[in-house]
Amino acid sequence: MGLLMGASVLDNVLARLVRVLQARLPRGERPDAAPGSAKRIRIEPLPVPVVQPEDALPHLHCPSLEHFRDNYLIPQKPVVLEGIIDHWPCMKKWR
């Protein structure tokens, strides 16, 4: 994630780690492949996970700050907040 976000942390340790790992990757073509040919590998999509209702995250529409703080922030429970930036001018201008 740090590489994707362009983060250069700890003396660019992530980029140096990538270079070391790339150097250890096997090089060359497979013996059964003709030079210059490329075979497509079919990758099956992963199944969509089924979320049971008791495991689903609660959705709150514009909760008060007190309610959010007391019920989710302080106990560190996940929640999906909906409609909390609908009043921002950019949400009307660039829908």
Side-chain angles (χ1 to χ4, degrees), residues 56-78:
L57 293 177
H59 288 236
L60 294 180
H61 186 78
C62 296
S64 69
L65 290 175
E66 294 80 15
H67 178 78
F68 173 73
R69 181 194 64 221
D70 295 341
N71 294 289
Y72 297 97
L73 183 65
I74 293 173
Q76 296 185 354
K77 291 183 181 177

Side-chain angles (χ1 to χ4, degrees), residues 48-94:
V48 176
V50 177
V51 178
Q52 300 301 324
E54 62 270 11
D55 296 330
L57 293 177
H59 288 236
L60 294 180
H61 186 78
C62 296
S64 69
L65 290 175
E66 294 80 15
H67 178 78
F68 173 73
R69 181 194 64 221
D70 295 341
N71 294 289
Y72 297 97
L73 183 65
I74 293 173
Q76 296 185 354
K77 291 183 181 177
V79 63
V80 177
L81 300 174
E82 297 176 338
I84 59 172
I85 61 170
D86 289 348
H87 66 283
W88 289 8
C90 65
M91 296 303 289
K92 292 177 180 70
K93 187 173 182 179
W94 294 293

